[in-house]
Structure formats: C-alpha cells, structure tokens
Amino acid sequence: MSFGIIASLILSLFAVWFVLSPLFEPPMPNFAASPSDGPLGPLLDAKERALRAIKDLEMDFSMGKLSQEDFDQSRRTLASEVAAILADIERHGGEG
Amino acid sequence: MVEFGQFSLCIAWLLALAVVIGGGVVGSGARTTPARLESLRRGTILVALTLGTSLIALGYLFVTNDYTVQYVWQYSNRDMPWIYKITAIWGGMDGSMLLWCFLVAAFSACVALRSRVYPRAIVAWLFSFLSSSTLFFTTITLFLTNPFRYLKSPVVMPDGNGLNPLLQNEYMAIHPPMLYLGFTGLAVPYAFCMAALASGQMSNDWIRLTRRWTLIGWTFLTAGIVLGGHWAYLELGWGGFWAWDPVENASFLPWLSATAFLHSVMVQERKGMLKVWNIFLIVLTYALTVFGTFLTRSGIVQSVHAFASTDIGWTFLVYLSTIIIVALGLSIYRRTELKPERAIESFFSREAVFLLNNLVLLSICFAVLWGVMFPVFSEAVTGVKQTVGIPFFNAVNVPLFLALIFLMGVGPSIAWKRSSLPQLLRSFAVPFVSAFVVAVALVFAGVVEFYPVLAYSLSFFGLMTILGEVQRGLSAQKGITHAGTWSPANLTTLWRRQRVKYGAHVIHFGVLIMTVAITASMAHKIEREFTLAPGERFSVGRFSLELNEFHEEQLANYEAIQAHVTLRALTSETPLEVLVPEMRFYRKNKETTTEVALRMGQREDVYLVLAGVDETGTKASMKVFVNPFQVWLWYGAIIMVVGGIIVAIPVPRGAKVRDSVSDKVAQSV
C-alpha cells in the first residue's frame, strides 16, 4: 500500500471523527444569543439606532456641522423617539 | 502524492456537500442544538484543511518535477527557479481553481472559528451558504479541471513545457493570491446576507458583521488590483498600468460595487434605510466576482490575462443564475422585514450624499460592464465582434470619477439627517476657495486642459475637507475633554474614539494621491520611439539617453540581449543611472519577451523598452516613456490598503463596554 493511500485513509478517518464527535459528546456551551433574537429584536434595534443617531448628532454639532437651531430641533425629535421606544420595550416586558 | 492530493479534494467535496445540506436542515429546523452547530462548524474548518493539504500536494508535485501529472508537465520545467514552480500552481486554470477553492474555504474556516460569538440563529445557514461557494468551486475542480490528472503519454516525459514567460515575474507570487483573496473574501458578506434572509434574523447584527468582512475582502481586492497594475507596468512593456483590459475590468467591477456597499451599509446601520439596496449590492458584488471568474475562464473575451478558452463557462452561468434566483426569492419572501424604517429627510445630508455616491459608483460599474460585454453583444446583434477601447472607458468614466472625488470631499463633512445651507457654505468655504486658487495657479502654470485642472483642484478640495475634518475633530475633542487646549493626547483620543472614521479618511487620502498620479500620467506622459547605435544619444523630457553597448546573456531558462543605456539630465554630463532593458528568448516556450528598465523617481519614472535589434546587431530600436508622478500611484495604493486595515481591525470588546455612549445617552433622554 502506497504512502498516498495510507495518508488518505488516515485523513478520512480523522475527518469522520472530527466532524461527528460533537454529536456524541456531553452537552457543550451554546453559540452566542443575539439580543435581537427574541421578540423584542426590532425594538432593541430601533433603540440602538436612535441612540446612535443622537450620538452622531452631538458629534456633528460639536464639529460645527449643524446650527444650534437644527441641533435643538433634531435632538428633541430623536429624544422623543427614544423615549417612545423605551416605553414600548418596557410595555413588552423588556428592560429599557 | 497524486492519490493523496486527489483524495483530499474528494474529502473536501464530500464535507462541503454535507455542510451545505446539514446547514440547511439544521437552519430550517426548530432546534439548532449546540452539538449540531459544532459539527457543522468543524466540517467547515475541515474543508479548508483538506483543501490545504490538496494544494500542498500539488505544490510538492511541482517542486519534485513530477511530469506524470499533466498540469505539472504543462506549466513547469526543470530549469525554472523554485519560486516560479510554486507560482506555477496558479499559473494555469486547474491549479488556480484549486487555489480559489482553498481560499474560499479558508475564509469560511476563519468565519467558523469566530462563529461562537455570532448570533446562533444565523450560524447554521451561514455555514451552509459559505460551503455552497466552496462546493461550487470544488465541484468544478474535482470533475472538470482536476489538476491531479495523469498525463496521457506512454512514457514519462523528461521535462515540462514551462510557465508562460510573462508569468515568470515575482509579482505573480503575490498578485493572483491577493486578487483571489479579495474575490473569495467577498463570498463571506454574501453568505452572511443569505443566512440572515434565510433565517429571518434581519436585525443590525448581520449587517455589522458583514461590513467588517466586506472591508477585509475589499482591502485584499484593492491590493490585488494594484499589484496587478504594477505587474502590468513592469512586465508588459507598454508604459502603462491599466488598459481597461476585460480581465482587469473583471476585478474592478466587484471592487466598485463593494465600495458602494461599504458606504450605503453605514446608512442602514444608522437609519434602517436602504435594506433592499444593500442586499442588492452584496449579491451584485458576489455575482460580479463569479462573473469575473467566468470571463477569465470562458474565453468569451480576449485578454492578455485570460486563461485558455475552456468549456466550463456554462457552469459559472448556472451558478450565477442560482445566486440571483435564490437571493431574489429570499428577498421577496422577507419583503416585510426589508421595509425601510424612515426616509431621507434632506438632500443636504450625509445619507443623501452616500446614496449619490452609490449611484455614481454603480454608473461606473455599468459603464465598465457594458464596455467588457460590448464585443459579445455586438457579435450577437450584428454578427461582427466589435470592441471598445481605452478612449471609450476614459470618455465615460473620467467625468464620473471626478464626480466621485467631489462627493468624497463633501460626504464626510456634511451632517447626518440634515444640514442647512449657511452651515454648508461655512464648512466648504475654505476647501472651495483653495481648490479655485489651485485651478487658477495651474492655468497660469500652463496646464489648460479641462479635466486635468478639474482633477487636480478637486483632489485639493478633497484634501482640504479631510484636513478640515481632523481640525474640527480636534476642536470638538478639546471641548469634550474640557482641557481647552490642544495636546498630542487629543489626537490619540480622537484616533481611538473615531478610528473607523479616520481610517476612512486615510483611505480617501490614498485615493486623492492616486487621482493626482493617474491624472499626471494621463495628461503629461511623454512617449517616444527611437533607434540608436552605440555612442549615439537621444533626448526626452529633461533627460538624455546614450546607448553604450549590447550584451548577451545565457541563463538556464532563457537567453537575453541587453542594451546598456546611460541616463543623464540634459543639463549635466554626470550619469544618473545605467538602464538595462532586455529582450528574452525562452527556449522551452519559444517565446520572446521584453524586460523593462525603469528608473523610479518621486517626480517621474523613466521607463525604457528594448523593442528590437537590427539584423547587423549594431542598432537598437527603443521606446521610452517619461511618466510623471507614477510612483505616487503606488504610494496612494499603499495608503489605501493601510486605511482598509485600520478600519477592518475589530474594536476590542472591552473598549466597546467602556465607550458605551449609548447608555449615557439613554440615561440623558
């Protein structure tokens, strides 16, 4: 039997063991759960986006890209948006 | 070793098939148990390992000159240096497909190694779609372009044909793998996108993960394209680096759509808009990488880079159609989740500029695609194959690129959501005035052509907006830290907090440098042909060239005629350098090539080609190019790649926690 055939057999046995062994081992730690996995997912996403929008707005304002008037108006709108989302999350039993 | 390589390939194929099916079954089932996910994860990693061993086996066959194997016999010979025996692995169709398989599997394995931190709802589908790419390429390699086939010959051949002389260049060691890394890397965002659609996990998670993987593929692709340009510049002897060749274009097309995606994805992350558009861009990018592979391997277009015409083109068309149909079907199925959460509020906003930037990038993409496919379309309609050349591509794309440079300056300096006109005028006053001053100065200096003046001044406009951003960032940083004064710590803090943003500025800075270099090489290049006998001189630009002598060389692989030419400045008799262009005759391949002599300089390159020697052996025909600012093109590309790396580096998990501004903002509202 040539070296190539022996190496091929070893490789295939290793492949079978390596891939299938998790199915016969004791329970292992699960993969990560995303906070967005559950029913609150879209709300949590919306919250994250709205908070990021406020962060961007503040950064843009501090860099002089927005007038005071535009900043105040946009911040008010975004703040009320966040408040509404947080209320929604609390109503659905989540932690705002 | 042939059996081992072949067997490894078979195992990889079986494993990939198992992961595609298993991933689909586990992903669509109600219970995605950790054991099943782990099994799929291991399968994905093992595909890469087995393809790796197969590739090593092929390398071993090349290095040991095993001419019982057809592919080894066809693409190497005993006289080739060992480095070219290694590069010969991807010098032909069969080996390049195996390398492709390995790289796509290696990217899949990298994703699998990190998959424990990915949302478990998508990982099974993720493994399935990643392995579907590997499966497709492995199927072709195993059944249609197998590099381990034995040579059909009654006797063992004593020597091989040898690698194409044009490919016997050190850049071939790095350019194709880099380009393939770019292509195969872009399979990862596609897999994430399809996995999100298939699993219904349409939250921000997948889009955030996709952005980083796209950046990795994009950075490799950028490096691969530029290295290809550098190879063409050094090896093809026509004085340029980009000829809008179909295969060059094939690598450029996915780069354009990936660049568009990298901008529009920010809009989705922040605003929940452009969801369908982003899916379209990801699928388009992956489809264009497959299309590019199809172009190089189907023989439907003529190119210096193309592999020989083969009959595997139809497989790519089938796969391409499958990609599009699956993406379209899943998008329609998930149409409710893909509705935009808000609309663009103002034309004067960053999201509007990004959208505009996307439209320009896709217009370039379409124009290039049209140019590439025009010979095929024209033959189908008129029966005559007509090609479009460099003038077409330049005429269409130069204005679009300049529009892009303008938007590149505007985009980062404009606020999200909306900006007022007075605020915009204040932000852009200095860049506009500076660009105008540059334009006027150029006209007075004698540069009167419209496009070069526009390109230089827009580049300066872009540079000023970047500097303005950094300056405003530092000012804002002073405000945040309440220190009130500037210190190096401000710069460090700014860089740490806004690394992605300033990494993007680094990329843009590289693009601006490249724009200046490309403009200079297009507008101010000098090209001359001349014949000299030893002792005679020729003047070009601010240089003179004197032919000293001819010299013949015999090497193992080829024989060469060299011309020794002294380069001087016109104003001085002191030699600057002796340039040695040569013509090589490769005995095995019976091919003649030219080797360029190059003097690279910060101000210009002097590029000398030996075109021929007359029958008496006393006169040389030569071609010289003086390419202004050429070296800056390569510097710009390096800066772009460095910028790509800066942006792609993951944010440390601890830093995310420390910088949870969101929580502070949440408390404040």
Side-chain angles (χ1 to χ4, degrees):
Chain A
M1 211 184 275
S2 73
F3 163 77
I5 295 172
I6 295 169
S8 304
L9 280 173
I10 294 170
L11 185 66
S12 45
L13 286 173
F14 170 73
V16 171
W17 168 80
F18 186 70
V19 174
L20 296 183
S21 61
L23 300 175
F24 305 104
E25 280 172 6
M28 54 183 62
N30 207 343
F31 285 58
S34 164
S36 320
D37 273 356
L40 288 176
L43 283 173
L44 292 172
D45 264 356
K47 174 191 153 192
E48 190 191 318
R49 260 199 286 273
L51 293 175
R52 185 158 192 184
I54 293 178
K55 188 182 160 189
D56 286 336
L57 188 76
E58 289 181 343
M59 180 52 85
D60 283 343
F61 179 64
S62 66
M63 290 179 76
K65 294 178 191 173
L66 284 169
S67 64
Q68 184 73 51
E69 190 188 341
D70 281 345
F71 172 72
D72 290 340
Q73 192 195 337
S74 296
R75 200 178 191 289
R76 264 198 307 275
T77 316
L78 285 168
S80 57
E81 207 173 289
V82 172
I85 296 167
L86 292 177
D88 240 10
I89 292 172
E90 272 181 33
R91 207 173 26 252
H92 285 86
E95 287 178 21
Chain B
M1 199 46 92
V2 176
E3 290 85 4
F4 182 59
Q6 173 87 336
F7 200 82
S8 302
L9 194 56
C10 289
I11 294 178
W13 185 81
L14 285 169
L15 280 168
L17 182 67
V19 176
V20 170
I21 296 170
V25 170
V26 173
S28 56
R31 283 174 60 82
T32 50
T33 64
R36 288 173 189 171
L37 291 179
E38 178 60 20
S39 179
L40 289 169
R41 179 175 165 273
R42 288 186 179 193
T44 308
I45 294 167
L46 202 57
V47 173
L49 292 177
T50 46
L51 284 169
T53 53
S54 190
L55 198 64
I56 290 168
L58 185 61
Y60 178 83
L61 295 173
F62 268 104
V63 173
T64 55
N65 302 315
D66 189 338
Y67 299 122
T68 60
V69 177
Q70 184 179 332
Y71 186 69
V72 178
W73 170 77
Q74 206 170 342
Y75 290 100
S76 87
N77 63 45
R78 291 182 188 279
D79 297 331
M80 272 167 47
W82 70 268
I83 180 73
Y84 295 142
K85 286 183 182 172
I86 299 292
T87 61
I89 294 174
W90 50 86
M93 157 88 94
D94 304 356
S96 74
M97 289 302 293
L98 181 60
L99 176 67
W100 194 291
C101 293
F102 168 68
L103 293 178
V104 77
F107 264 112
S108 306
C110 291
V111 174
L113 286 169
R114 282 194 59 79
S115 61
R116 284 197 168 278
V117 295
Y118 295 159
R120 65 169 163 258
I122 69 164
V123 283
W125 281 112
L126 182 62
F127 295 142
S128 179
F129 278 103
L130 282 170
S131 296
S132 71
S133 301
T134 315
L135 181 66
F136 167 69
F137 288 106
T138 314
T139 304
I140 291 180
T141 308
L142 187 60
F143 299 109
L144 299 173
T145 64
N146 195 322
F148 296 102
R149 274 172 301 179
Y150 283 111
L151 180 66
K152 285 175 187 157
S153 165
V155 290
V156 176
M157 302 301 270
D159 203 356
N161 276 345
L163 187 64
N164 180 343
L166 285 176
L167 305 183
Q168 296 192 33
N169 176 292
E170 57 267 36
Y171 276 89
M172 290 313 287
I174 184 81
H175 156 56
M178 202 60 86
L179 205 57
Y180 290 0
L181 276 167
F183 280 152
T184 52
L186 292 173
V188 178
Y190 163 76
F192 266 107
C193 176
M194 291 298 105
L197 282 171
S199 64
Q201 225 279 356
M202 302 301 298
S203 72
N204 253 357
D205 293 332
W206 79 271
I207 202 89
R208 216 178 357 246
L209 295 166
T210 304
R211 186 155 79 95
R212 175 147 300 123
W213 284 104
T214 309
L215 259 165
I216 293 169
W218 180 92
T219 305
F220 279 123
L221 193 55
T222 305
I225 291 171
V226 176
L227 283 168
H230 205 204
W231 167 78
Y233 186 61
L234 296 177
E235 194 62 26
L236 297 184
W238 62 278
F241 53 89
W242 189 265
W244 296 107
D245 174 272
V247 175
E248 290 171 348
N249 292 339
S251 62
F252 193 43
L253 290 169
W255 186 91
L256 289 165
S257 54
T259 308
F261 171 72
L262 286 171
H263 288 87
S264 63
V265 70
M266 285 187 266
V267 181
Q268 182 170 346
E269 269 188 72
R270 286 174 162 84
K271 307 284 170 187
M273 292 187 278
L274 307 180
K275 290 179 183 176
V276 175
W277 178 250
N278 280 324
I279 290 171
F280 166 73
L281 286 179
I282 290 175
V283 175
L284 177 70
T285 300
Y286 183 57
L288 285 173
T289 64
V290 176
F291 176 74
T293 323
F294 162 71
L295 269 188
T296 17
R297 287 161 174 85
S298 62
I300 66 158
V301 290
Q302 299 300 313
S303 159
V304 287
H305 303 70
F307 292 95
S309 174
T310 59
D311 53 0
I312 64 164
W314 65 272
T315 58
F316 283 91
L317 288 182
V318 170
Y319 184 52
L320 210 52
S321 312
T322 312
I323 292 167
I324 293 165
I325 290 167
V326 170
L328 202 63
L330 285 172
S331 301
I332 292 170
Y333 182 62
R334 298 286 178 201
R335 62 190 179 282
T336 325
E337 289 101 315
L338 294 174
K339 280 185 184 151
E341 289 160 33
R342 59 185 80 207
I344 289 177
E345 284 182 32
S346 162
F347 186 73
F348 297 119
S349 64
R350 196 179 297 181
E351 45 269 48
V353 174
F354 279 179
L355 188 59
L356 212 54
N357 140 304
N358 267 229
L359 294 177
V360 175
L361 278 164
L362 281 209
S363 302
I364 298 171
C365 195
F366 177 74
V368 175
L369 189 60
W370 177 255
V372 170
M373 294 307 290
F374 190 75
V376 180
F377 296 147
S378 67
E379 191 175 28
V381 175
T382 64
V384 182
K385 195 177 253 189
Q386 290 174 313
T387 55
V388 292
I390 295 173
F392 164 79
F393 287 105
N394 285 347
V396 177
N397 289 326
V398 167
L400 289 170
F401 272 114
L402 292 178
L404 206 57
I405 298 296
F406 173 70
L407 291 173
M408 207 174 77
V410 172
S413 304
I414 196 167
W416 290 101
K417 205 169 158 69
R418 85 162 75 103
S419 289
S420 61
L421 200 57
Q423 212 63 34
L424 285 177
L425 291 175
R426 208 170 305 149
S427 293
F428 292 112
V430 174
F432 266 124
V433 171
S434 314
F436 183 72
V437 169
V438 167
V440 171
L442 284 168
V443 171
F444 275 107
V447 183
V448 289
E449 296 94 341
F450 176 68
Y451 279 138
V453 170
L454 194 60
Y456 292 133
S457 46
L458 281 177
S459 301
F460 199 73
F461 168 76
L463 176 68
M464 293 305 286
T465 57
I466 291 174
L467 292 176
E469 272 291 289
V470 175
Q471 186 263 326
R472 280 192 293 269
L474 284 171
S475 304
Q477 190 59 41
K478 277 192 290 189
I480 289 167
T481 57
H482 304 293
T485 52
W486 186 87
S487 77
N490 288 112
L491 199 60
T492 320
T493 314
L494 184 68
W495 180 260
R496 208 179 56 240
R497 288 195 175 177
Q498 303 270 319
R499 179 173 51 83
V500 171
K501 182 180 168 182
Y502 288 97
H505 285 326
V506 171
I507 297 174
H508 287 175
F509 179 58
V511 173
L512 295 177
I513 290 183
M514 287 180 82
T515 305
V516 170
I518 291 168
T519 308
S521 73
M522 281 173 80
H524 316 299
K525 175 188 242 175
I526 304 172
E527 181 180 342
R528 299 278 184 275
E529 284 182 51
F530 58 96
T531 304
L532 289 182
E536 289 182 342
R537 286 191 184 191
F538 183 80
S539 302
V540 58
R542 60 189 190 97
F543 299 100
S544 81
L545 297 158
E546 181 183 352
L547 177 64
N548 305 331
E549 57 174 349
F550 294 110
H551 185 73
E552 288 191 16
E553 275 212 328
Q554 297 273 347
L555 279 94
N557 205 16
Y558 60 84
E559 49 201 69
I561 301 175
Q562 298 175 335
H564 288 238
V565 180
T566 303
L567 178 76
R568 294 183 179 87
L570 277 179
T571 52
S572 165
E573 274 304 300
T574 314
L576 293 172
E577 193 169 330
V578 175
L579 299 173
V580 188
E582 65 180 63
M583 288 174 69
R584 287 181 184 173
F585 178 70
Y586 286 82
R587 286 183 289 271
K588 278 273 175 345
N589 311 69
K590 296 185 174 49
E591 279 185 45
T592 304
T593 64
T594 55
E595 293 297 310
V596 171
L598 181 66
R599 180 181 190 268
M600 273 193 180
Q602 305 302 319
R603 193 167 150 188
E604 73 267 281
D605 281 8
V606 178
Y607 183 104
L608 189 61
V609 183
L610 177 62
V613 179
D614 76 346
E615 289 169 3
T616 59
T618 53
K619 285 194 169 182
S621 302
M622 285 187 263
K623 205 167 185 179
V624 64
F625 300 84
V626 178
N627 296 328
F629 295 132
Q630 183 70 43
V631 76
W632 291 92
L633 179 74
W634 318 122
Y635 291 160
I638 292 168
I639 294 170
M640 275 182 81
V641 170
V642 169
I645 294 168
I646 291 170
V647 182
I649 293 170
V651 179
R653 264 180 246 170
K656 273 182 193 164
V657 176
R658 282 198 301 278
D659 192 32
S660 60
V661 178
S662 302
D663 293 342
K664 290 179 202 160
V665 178
Q667 283 164 14
S668 73
V669 296

